[in-house]
Amino acid sequence: MATLEVEALDVHYGGVHALRGMSLTVGEGEIVALLGNNGAGKTTTLSAVSGLVRPTAGKIVFDGADVTRARPEAIVRAGLVHVPEGRRVFSTLTVHENLQIGGYLVRDQAEIRKRVDRVYSLLPRLAERRTQQGGTLSGGEQQMLAIGRALVSGPRLLLLDEPSMGLAPLVVASVMELVREVNAEGVSVLLVEQNAKAALKIAHRGYVIESGACVLGGSARDLRGDSRVVEAYLGGL
Amino acid sequence: MSQLIWNGLFVGSFYALVALGYSMVYGIMKLLNFAHGDIYMLGAFTGFAILGAVGGISPGMALPALLGVLVVTMGVTGLSGVLLERVAYRPLRNAPRLSLLITAVGASFTLEYGMRAAAGADPQVYPLRLGGTSAEILGARITLQQIALIIVAVALMVGLNLLVTRTREGRAMRAIALDPRTSALMGINVNAVISRTFFLGSALAGAAGVMAGAYYGKIDFLMGFLIGLKAFTSAVIGGIGNIPGTMLGGLLLGLLESFGTFWLGGEWRDVFAFGVLILFLSVRPTGLLGERVTERV
Amino acid sequence: MTAPGATRAPALGRAASRLLDSRWAGLAGLVLALLAPFVIATPYALSVMTSAAIFVMLASGLNMVVGFCGLLDLGYVAFFAVGAYTSGVLSTRLGLPLLATVPVVIVVTVIAGVVIGAPTLRLRSDYLAIVTLGFGEIIRITANNLDVTGGPSGIYGIPSLATSPVVFYYLTVVIVSVAVIGASRLGRSRLGRAWRFVREDEDAAEAMGVHTYKIKLAAYIAGAVWGGLAGVLFAGQLSAISPGSFTFLQSALVLMAVVLGGMGSTPGVVVGAIVISLLPEVLRDFAGYRFFAFGVLLIIVMLVRPQGLWPHRSREASS
Amino acid sequence: GCGQGLLGGDSQAGDGKGPIVLGMLIPQSGSEAAIGPYMKNAADLAVEEINGKGGVLGRKLELKVADDACDAQTAVAGANKLVTEGVQVSVGGYCSGATLPTLPIFGKANIPMIIPAANSQELVDQHLKHVFLINGTGSQQATAAMAWITKRGAKSVALVHDNTSYSKDIAVRTQKLLDEPGGPEAAILEAVTPKESDYSANINNILAKKPDFVYWTGYFQEGGLIIRQLRQSGYKGAIMVGDGSVSEKLASIAGDAGEGVFATMTQTPDTLQGAEGWVASYTKKFGSAPGPYTNQAYDGVRLAAEAIKNAGATDGAKVIAALEGIDGFQMFSGPLKFTPDHTLSAGGFQILVVKSGKFALQDALK
Amino acid sequence: MSLLSVEDLRLSFGGLLAIDGLSFTVGEAEIVSVIGPNGAGKTSAFNCVTGFYRPTAGRILLSGREITGMRPSGIAGLGVSRTFQNLRLFGEMSVLDNVRAGAHLWLRQNFVDALLHTPRYRRTERECTEQAHHWLDFVGLRGDRFGEARALPYGEQRRVEIARALARRPALLLLDEPAAGLNHGEKAEMLALIRRIRELGIATVLIEHDMGLVMEVSERVVVLNFGREIADGRPEDVRRDPAVIEAYLGRDDEDDEDDTDDTDDTDDTDDTDGKGGADGKGGADDGDGGGDGDA
Ligand SMILES: Nc1ncnc2c1ncn2[C@@H]1O[C@H](COP(=O)(O)OP(=O)(O)OP(=O)(O)O)[C@@H](O)[C@H]1O
Ligand SMILES: Nc1ncnc2c1ncn2[C@@H]1O[C@H](COP(=O)(O)OP(=O)(O)OP(=O)(O)O)[C@@H](O)[C@H]1O
Ligand SMILES: CC(C)C[C@H](N)C(=O)O
Ligand SMILES: [Mg+2]
Ligand SMILES: [Mg+2]
């Protein structure tokens, strides 16, 4: 059964019609990549799924429950966690507090501590910066913090919006590895990436969206071989 | 000298108590809640009404009775604060932040003149007085009531500070202050947290209102205006959104007023207080304990 | 290069927005203001309309500071007071006609702008708010305590600019119109753009070579001069001024006019000022309930139009 | 409406046979809002009584009230509104600061002003033909205060005011009298900020000078608090308040501390023999006892009616002349005759004292 | 004499040494890349050069003139322009106004001109607008120029920021991760753009994590690690430097293959499926926003 089903979603920003009949599914335990040009509607799709923007039409089903009109916090409670575009760390909270906020819905203090420690071991740079204010971190460090924060909340489905943006090549590799590990533990992932190559390497399936709708979908292997994808997103061979 | 300090601290602890609510609300929503002082007024009148309804209270029972009234009043003003936020502020959450200034001033007028319609323009006299036998301590005349009031105030403040800095609720408040959208992505129910913040802040203001009514004895429908202004000032001196800072800010303002009156006379008091405040802020632009925000570029 | 959005806008909408273009709306407003006395010219109406016009001038001055430059000023009335008192003192003590005091008022308000602005403009908005509030109070209390300013009872017997209220009204309308147009022109110029850059993002503005400190000071000075000149008109209208007219509430009302109309929008601010100054008069018959009604209306208006009555449009005309 | 524009005819309302309109500018909102209802009620009472006896010159009286919020700008609008509504005599004015800018407005419209309460010297100093004050002036009150201070044998007097023009005026004038050689000394002139609750800092200043007499010249709200806090701080000497503080509320705010507090005040219904009836009828009609300036407002309306009757017309100049000619008209403050300055020839100030929560006559200062 | 020279720069935050004795130079019309792991101090170095951070020690010279400790606008006045790692556009202003900001320093116009609308005012305003259009054309902006900048998609906003920096007519341009968040085709356009900027005779310093772009466009590469310079040289040399591989690039040869793509097509029109960008009403963003005002 699919963890996430998005059906014929429409989103408007005032007069801008950003999504036009967007549909996709994320299966249980899958990593699904979402590719597309700037302005294609990737961020909007994630925002609609996590309840940040209200769709004007369409349906979003998470774990069999309709969450189309649910509030963001209810969606998080259901286990769907969104790492937003542009990192959005809490600037005057320390790194540690940022991570604790990630565990806001977890009542068990010991459990939060355990998860935070795990993030520190996965992303050791954050451990070094434990008491620094989030806003003073370097761009890449902030990106790590944003991902780490989401992991603390213990998601069942993780939405990642361009997690590799601003990361050094070495770190991109390790973040992708991290995503794979998390996925191996049973977390489904919907991954928006401009670094299509890196994304398709770890994804099971992928979609290409243009002008607010999917124009292509298939297994990662198929997409890697598709000439259109290659030309626009992977670089001509 | 010690009298000056004591007077300043006592007045200052009232400012601080009202300022705490101001600061919390400001901290979380960046809202200059002009109606906050009027919630204080509402508290004073609520206490007045309850005492009036209960009728004669023997002097021996004054303090326990007052504590009871305090609790009920805090509930009433807390809920009023929540209602205020619901009606006048929440719908404007996404509007430019100064838009809230209009509804806040509107709410302030509504509360003030609503109370005028309900209770009249004449000042009212509290049915229950904390009269004063004073003792001389370290050269200052201090009444037992003053000490009791200060203890209540400090206890409320300390509790609040623990709440904000140590608990997840407090973290959520600070997160919302920084970025409500992302806070929602953390599973924080932004509306509920804001409501609770309003409840707490308004309850504190209500408590201060009852305490002022019982101690000073006179209440009127405009009594919240000036103290609202001073609360705002205290909150800023302390470093907005910072609870211990706000406490210190209130006390400092009280002391400034006390010493300003002494050195320059009553008519120049506020010039002195504001003058020092301006000088101080030009040296420390984020207040006493305000966080130095290093914006990254 | 063409802008697809502009070409696709329906013709009707475009015509409407042309019509609402500040120039035409402004002209219409001016004509309305000039014709009003032909409809009603009772002393009451004239005095209320004159006050409203002066209030418009105040609001357009504050709009430069708050709306354009994003500096929250809660003590704007300080400049109003400085202007009114300067002209009041000079005209009563030295027997100068009111008009002759204007150059001095300009000089004094510029100085006041610098004095108040210089030490405070480094502060972030909330702190700036309290400092300006403090300055407003300091000015009022000082006027209340000094002898030259007539202490708490203030100055009376200030000569008017005109013998008849009608003439004074027309004079005010003309001066205020010039001031509003001036503020709006400043707002669209290099300086005005710099104000908006500062409002939007100080760091980015600095990176573009905008000396943010000087630019903010310029906004302050401009606001001070507008406020001061409004003060001269105020002194002329009332003939008596006292510290009671320059309280914090007055500052708050001017700020409300700016926000209610729509920050940074010239027509908005004019409308906002007119609403804020006329509404209490309209509600006069409610007597004791007057401010109750005022408060309720303020809330309702804002809930209906959260961006202000006539908000600023950031879309440029593509010409 | 039509005909009110620049091109319209010069319609002077009220010239005909309709009611004679009196205008009253009083604070109904703002910091002094508490006063408005007292003065309005009193005026209504007077109008009703006069109309009950057939009105004036065969015409009924009508009262128009406008709010001045104790604020100059609101007052100017209000005054203009009254002028526009065809008011023939103004019987309002409580706050001097708000009344001051309205003088030229009524003046230009040729409307006589009988000012029942506002009494700052600036109102007098302009020597305006149309302005009449029926409250005692600041200097008269200061003289009365001085007389009582001397009579009490006080040595060192603290003068406390709220930095408004009225209050400061009395305090400063009293200080001048005290500064004359011999007799009691002015220990301190202390200003407080109105509308606050805690005056301990000011009281600290006062007590440091060890006065044996404190004179508060502001209003009753602060007065009550100051008295209470003075006593709480251990002050044992005499306390006196000015006319702005004469209200039973003062005593109830001050509580026990209020007993024995003196006041300088023009005669009030409570201290006048035979006025009980008036107090009773006021209380019956409005459900509460008269308060500050209730009787002055009442007398203001009666005086206006008297002047119009004497003038035989409502024309401004004639009414002014009639007012100047008034001699011996009975008011609460005594028989009336204006000085050339258009003030009361004698302030009529007496010394009252608080006895079981009420103001009673202590000394008529005759 | 080099255009920019940084001498023994140090910067610390409390105990943390963000920059630890950094020296490098940039010559006229040169393209220099600064690379290094996250948190190496690249952005901090930019902030020092542009006056946003005050260095703890060291000197910064622009054409031989010391600029250490000057305020940012002063340094901008000497011909230095920059973009920001986290976009810093004037979000609620039109795209054109954003670019006009770059013209602030050379626009000769005073408040009298503005009040009276003198001929000089009209002339300078027209010139300013023309320039703004010119630079938007130059960076190849496709989206709506008359609407709010924040309604543009991310990649377009990047272009606007560059156009704004260019409108300043700088001698030295600092770009902080201009290709972040761009997909492959868009990166190719960015590459072409940087080359065209160099043709204008503007020296460019580039912070970038995309090695393909860096290797392709740079004349020289400076590598930082922990605030210290660990390499400085020609791209081909730097990429083979073991220290650089160790600290930054890693040994993943698969990535290499990806990064060596030869995107020599300098024309910027190969990506025609790119959107026309946000059109329609500019300011109609009432869905979110909220958190304005920092502090
Ligand atoms: N707040 C907004 N107001 C108006 N239009 C918006 C807003 N946010 C997004 N849009 C528009 O909606 C469309 C889709 O934007 P979205 O951010 O979802 O794209 P994206 O695929 O995430 O692009 P990128 O790769 O640049 O992040 C774009 O045309 C964009 O301009
Ligand atoms: N204001 C500050 N306060 C404290 N530490 C800071 C501050 N600014 C930067 N730092 C620290 O200095 C180090 C260098 O940061 P900088 O932003 O220069 O890194 P960077 O090289 O640009 O990294 P990235 O590639 O991730 O953007 C980081 O570890 C960062 O946490
Ligand atoms: C006691 C009051 C009648 C004095 C009055 N408020 C005045 O300002 O003159
Ligand atoms: Mg996106
Ligand atoms: Mg960086």
Side-chain angles (χ1 to χ4, degrees), chain B residues 253-265:
Chain B
L253 184 62
L255 287 173
L256 281 178
E257 291 188 350
S258 178
F259 279 87
T261 309
F262 180 66
W263 285 326
L264 301 174

mmCIF file with all atom_site columns, all heavy atoms in Angstrom, chain B residues 253-265:
data_model
loop_
_atom_site.group_PDB
_atom_site.id
_atom_site.type_symbol
_atom_site.label_atom_id
_atom_site.label_alt_id
_atom_site.label_comp_id
_atom_site.label_asym_id
_atom_site.label_entity_id
_atom_site.label_seq_id
_atom_site.pdbx_PDB_ins_code
_atom_site.Cartn_x
_atom_site.Cartn_y
_atom_site.Cartn_z
_atom_site.occupancy
_atom_site.B_iso_or_equiv
_atom_site.pdbx_formal_charge
_atom_site.auth_seq_id
_atom_site.auth_comp_id
_atom_site.auth_asym_id
_atom_site.auth_atom_id
_atom_site.pdbx_PDB_model_num
ATOM 1   N N   . LEU B 1 253 ? 13.214 50.396 35.928 1.00 0.00 ? 253 LEU B N   1
ATOM 2   C CA  . LEU B 1 253 ? 12.373 51.565 35.667 1.00 0.00 ? 253 LEU B CA  1
ATOM 3   C C   . LEU B 1 253 ? 11.846 52.134 36.976 1.00 0.00 ? 253 LEU B C   1
ATOM 4   O O   . LEU B 1 253 ? 11.834 53.352 37.179 1.00 0.00 ? 253 LEU B O   1
ATOM 5   C CB  . LEU B 1 253 ? 11.224 51.192 34.730 1.00 0.00 ? 253 LEU B CB  1
ATOM 6   C CG  . LEU B 1 253 ? 10.329 52.348 34.313 1.00 0.00 ? 253 LEU B CG  1
ATOM 7   C CD1 . LEU B 1 253 ? 11.125 53.388 33.530 1.00 0.00 ? 253 LEU B CD1 1
ATOM 8   C CD2 . LEU B 1 253 ? 9.152  51.864 33.470 1.00 0.00 ? 253 LEU B CD2 1
ATOM 9   N N   . GLY B 1 254 ? 11.430 51.256 37.870 1.00 0.00 ? 254 GLY B N   1
ATOM 10  C CA  . GLY B 1 254 ? 10.972 51.718 39.174 1.00 0.00 ? 254 GLY B CA  1
ATOM 11  C C   . GLY B 1 254 ? 12.056 52.514 39.892 1.00 0.00 ? 254 GLY B C   1
ATOM 12  O O   . GLY B 1 254 ? 11.803 53.592 40.444 1.00 0.00 ? 254 GLY B O   1
ATOM 13  N N   . LEU B 1 255 ? 13.255 51.994 39.863 1.00 0.00 ? 255 LEU B N   1
ATOM 14  C CA  . LEU B 1 255 ? 14.365 52.683 40.535 1.00 0.00 ? 255 LEU B CA  1
ATOM 15  C C   . LEU B 1 255 ? 14.673 54.021 39.865 1.00 0.00 ? 255 LEU B C   1
ATOM 16  O O   . LEU B 1 255 ? 14.895 55.033 40.535 1.00 0.00 ? 255 LEU B O   1
ATOM 17  C CB  . LEU B 1 255 ? 15.615 51.796 40.517 1.00 0.00 ? 255 LEU B CB  1
ATOM 18  C CG  . LEU B 1 255 ? 15.569 50.596 41.478 1.00 0.00 ? 255 LEU B CG  1
ATOM 19  C CD1 . LEU B 1 255 ? 16.764 49.697 41.253 1.00 0.00 ? 255 LEU B CD1 1
ATOM 20  C CD2 . LEU B 1 255 ? 15.532 51.086 42.920 1.00 0.00 ? 255 LEU B CD2 1
ATOM 21  N N   . LEU B 1 256 ? 14.673 54.018 38.540 1.00 0.00 ? 256 LEU B N   1
ATOM 22  C CA  . LEU B 1 256 ? 14.947 55.262 37.823 1.00 0.00 ? 256 LEU B CA  1
ATOM 23  C C   . LEU B 1 256 ? 13.941 56.326 38.220 1.00 0.00 ? 256 LEU B C   1
ATOM 24  O O   . LEU B 1 256 ? 14.287 57.489 38.438 1.00 0.00 ? 256 LEU B O   1
ATOM 25  C CB  . LEU B 1 256 ? 14.861 55.039 36.311 1.00 0.00 ? 256 LEU B CB  1
ATOM 26  C CG  . LEU B 1 256 ? 16.063 54.381 35.640 1.00 0.00 ? 256 LEU B CG  1
ATOM 27  C CD1 . LEU B 1 256 ? 15.797 54.189 34.160 1.00 0.00 ? 256 LEU B CD1 1
ATOM 28  C CD2 . LEU B 1 256 ? 17.295 55.265 35.839 1.00 0.00 ? 256 LEU B CD2 1
ATOM 29  N N   . GLU B 1 257 ? 12.684 55.923 38.310 1.00 0.00 ? 257 GLU B N   1
ATOM 30  C CA  . GLU B 1 257 ? 11.654 56.886 38.670 1.00 0.00 ? 257 GLU B CA  1
ATOM 31  C C   . GLU B 1 257 ? 11.858 57.392 40.085 1.00 0.00 ? 257 GLU B C   1
ATOM 32  O O   . GLU B 1 257 ? 11.730 58.581 40.365 1.00 0.00 ? 257 GLU B O   1
ATOM 33  C CB  . GLU B 1 257 ? 10.272 56.255 38.516 1.00 0.00 ? 257 GLU B CB  1
ATOM 34  C CG  . GLU B 1 257 ? 9.925  56.000 37.071 1.00 0.00 ? 257 GLU B CG  1
ATOM 35  C CD  . GLU B 1 257 ? 8.490  55.559 36.877 1.00 0.00 ? 257 GLU B CD  1
ATOM 36  O OE1 . GLU B 1 257 ? 7.813  55.264 37.895 1.00 0.00 ? 257 GLU B OE1 1
ATOM 37  O OE2 . GLU B 1 257 ? 8.043  55.510 35.736 1.00 0.00 ? 257 GLU B OE2 1
ATOM 38  N N   . SER B 1 258 ? 12.184 56.460 40.947 1.00 0.00 ? 258 SER B N   1
ATOM 39  C CA  . SER B 1 258 ? 12.374 56.837 42.340 1.00 0.00 ? 258 SER B CA  1
ATOM 40  C C   . SER B 1 258 ? 13.530 57.826 42.480 1.00 0.00 ? 258 SER B C   1
ATOM 41  O O   . SER B 1 258 ? 13.402 58.880 43.114 1.00 0.00 ? 258 SER B O   1
ATOM 42  C CB  . SER B 1 258 ? 12.622 55.567 43.152 1.00 0.00 ? 258 SER B CB  1
ATOM 43  O OG  . SER B 1 258 ? 12.850 55.870 44.489 1.00 0.00 ? 258 SER B OG  1
ATOM 44  N N   . PHE B 1 259 ? 14.641 57.486 41.864 1.00 0.00 ? 259 PHE B N   1
ATOM 45  C CA  . PHE B 1 259 ? 15.798 58.370 41.998 1.00 0.00 ? 259 PHE B CA  1
ATOM 46  C C   . PHE B 1 259 ? 15.627 59.650 41.189 1.00 0.00 ? 259 PHE B C   1
ATOM 47  O O   . PHE B 1 259 ? 16.078 60.723 41.595 1.00 0.00 ? 259 PHE B O   1
ATOM 48  C CB  . PHE B 1 259 ? 17.076 57.628 41.581 1.00 0.00 ? 259 PHE B CB  1
ATOM 49  C CG  . PHE B 1 259 ? 17.609 56.746 42.675 1.00 0.00 ? 259 PHE B CG  1
ATOM 50  C CD1 . PHE B 1 259 ? 17.160 55.442 42.819 1.00 0.00 ? 259 PHE B CD1 1
ATOM 51  C CD2 . PHE B 1 259 ? 18.524 57.232 43.589 1.00 0.00 ? 259 PHE B CD2 1
ATOM 52  C CE1 . PHE B 1 259 ? 17.616 54.636 43.848 1.00 0.00 ? 259 PHE B CE1 1
ATOM 53  C CE2 . PHE B 1 259 ? 18.997 56.436 44.620 1.00 0.00 ? 259 PHE B CE2 1
ATOM 54  C CZ  . PHE B 1 259 ? 18.537 55.135 44.746 1.00 0.00 ? 259 PHE B CZ  1
ATOM 55  N N   . GLY B 1 260 ? 14.986 59.539 40.037 1.00 0.00 ? 260 GLY B N   1
ATOM 56  C CA  . GLY B 1 260 ? 14.738 60.739 39.244 1.00 0.00 ? 260 GLY B CA  1
ATOM 57  C C   . GLY B 1 260 ? 13.924 61.743 40.033 1.00 0.00 ? 260 GLY B C   1
ATOM 58  O O   . GLY B 1 260 ? 14.195 62.949 40.036 1.00 0.00 ? 260 GLY B O   1
ATOM 59  N N   . THR B 1 261 ? 12.897 61.247 40.715 1.00 0.00 ? 261 THR B N   1
ATOM 60  C CA  . THR B 1 261 ? 12.080 62.134 41.534 1.00 0.00 ? 261 THR B CA  1
ATOM 61  C C   . THR B 1 261 ? 12.910 62.792 42.625 1.00 0.00 ? 261 THR B C   1
ATOM 62  O O   . THR B 1 261 ? 12.778 63.980 42.906 1.00 0.00 ? 261 THR B O   1
ATOM 63  C CB  . THR B 1 261 ? 10.927 61.341 42.181 1.00 0.00 ? 261 THR B CB  1
ATOM 64  O OG1 . THR B 1 261 ? 10.263 60.596 41.168 1.00 0.00 ? 261 THR B OG1 1
ATOM 65  C CG2 . THR B 1 261 ? 9.948  62.260 42.869 1.00 0.00 ? 261 THR B CG2 1
ATOM 66  N N   . PHE B 1 262 ? 13.780 61.995 43.191 1.00 0.00 ? 262 PHE B N   1
ATOM 67  C CA  . PHE B 1 262 ? 14.580 62.501 44.294 1.00 0.00 ? 262 PHE B CA  1
ATOM 68  C C   . PHE B 1 262 ? 15.588 63.549 43.824 1.00 0.00 ? 262 PHE B C   1
ATOM 69  O O   . PHE B 1 262 ? 15.715 64.625 44.404 1.00 0.00 ? 262 PHE B O   1
ATOM 70  C CB  . PHE B 1 262 ? 15.305 61.331 44.972 1.00 0.00 ? 262 PHE B CB  1
ATOM 71  C CG  . PHE B 1 262 ? 16.171 61.738 46.119 1.00 0.00 ? 262 PHE B CG  1
ATOM 72  C CD1 . PHE B 1 262 ? 15.617 62.270 47.270 1.00 0.00 ? 262 PHE B CD1 1
ATOM 73  C CD2 . PHE B 1 262 ? 17.548 61.599 46.047 1.00 0.00 ? 262 PHE B CD2 1
ATOM 74  C CE1 . PHE B 1 262 ? 16.408 62.648 48.338 1.00 0.00 ? 262 PHE B CE1 1
ATOM 75  C CE2 . PHE B 1 262 ? 18.357 61.974 47.105 1.00 0.00 ? 262 PHE B CE2 1
ATOM 76  C CZ  . PHE B 1 262 ? 17.780 62.504 48.251 1.00 0.00 ? 262 PHE B CZ  1
ATOM 77  N N   . TRP B 1 263 ? 16.250 63.243 42.747 1.00 0.00 ? 263 TRP B N   1
ATOM 78  C CA  . TRP B 1 263 ? 17.308 64.157 42.304 1.00 0.00 ? 263 TRP B CA  1
ATOM 79  C C   . TRP B 1 263 ? 16.782 65.390 41.590 1.00 0.00 ? 263 TRP B C   1
ATOM 80  O O   . TRP B 1 263 ? 17.277 66.489 41.774 1.00 0.00 ? 263 TRP B O   1
ATOM 81  C CB  . TRP B 1 263 ? 18.279 63.417 41.368 1.00 0.00 ? 263 TRP B CB  1
ATOM 82  C CG  . TRP B 1 263 ? 19.205 62.486 42.092 1.00 0.00 ? 263 TRP B CG  1
ATOM 83  C CD1 . TRP B 1 263 ? 19.718 62.673 43.338 1.00 0.00 ? 263 TRP B CD1 1
ATOM 84  C CD2 . TRP B 1 263 ? 19.710 61.244 41.639 1.00 0.00 ? 263 TRP B CD2 1
ATOM 85  N NE1 . TRP B 1 263 ? 20.522 61.621 43.680 1.00 0.00 ? 263 TRP B NE1 1
ATOM 86  C CE2 . TRP B 1 263 ? 20.541 60.725 42.649 1.00 0.00 ? 263 TRP B CE2 1
ATOM 87  C CE3 . TRP B 1 263 ? 19.562 60.507 40.444 1.00 0.00 ? 263 TRP B CE3 1
ATOM 88  C CZ2 . TRP B 1 263 ? 21.213 59.519 42.529 1.00 0.00 ? 263 TRP B CZ2 1
ATOM 89  C CZ3 . TRP B 1 263 ? 20.229 59.308 40.326 1.00 0.00 ? 263 TRP B CZ3 1
ATOM 90  C CH2 . TRP B 1 263 ? 21.039 58.803 41.366 1.00 0.00 ? 263 TRP B CH2 1
ATOM 91  N N   . LEU B 1 264 ? 15.786 65.205 40.750 1.00 0.00 ? 264 LEU B N   1
ATOM 92  C CA  . LEU B 1 264 ? 15.374 66.319 39.889 1.00 0.00 ? 264 LEU B CA  1
ATOM 93  C C   . LEU B 1 264 ? 13.984 66.845 40.198 1.00 0.00 ? 264 LEU B C   1
ATOM 94  O O   . LEU B 1 264 ? 13.554 67.826 39.619 1.00 0.00 ? 264 LEU B O   1
ATOM 95  C CB  . LEU B 1 264 ? 15.422 65.881 38.415 1.00 0.00 ? 264 LEU B CB  1
ATOM 96  C CG  . LEU B 1 264 ? 16.787 65.405 37.931 1.00 0.00 ? 264 LEU B CG  1
ATOM 97  C CD1 . LEU B 1 264 ? 16.670 64.859 36.509 1.00 0.00 ? 264 LEU B CD1 1
ATOM 98  C CD2 . LEU B 1 264 ? 17.787 66.548 37.957 1.00 0.00 ? 264 LEU B CD2 1
ATOM 99  N N   . GLY B 1 265 ? 13.256 66.174 41.078 1.00 0.00 ? 265 GLY B N   1
ATOM 100 C CA  . GLY B 1 265 ? 11.896 66.603 41.358 1.00 0.00 ? 265 GLY B CA  1
ATOM 101 C C   . GLY B 1 265 ? 10.918 65.893 40.447 1.00 0.00 ? 265 GLY B C   1
ATOM 102 O O   . GLY B 1 265 ? 11.275 65.450 39.351 1.00 0.00 ? 265 GLY B O   1
#
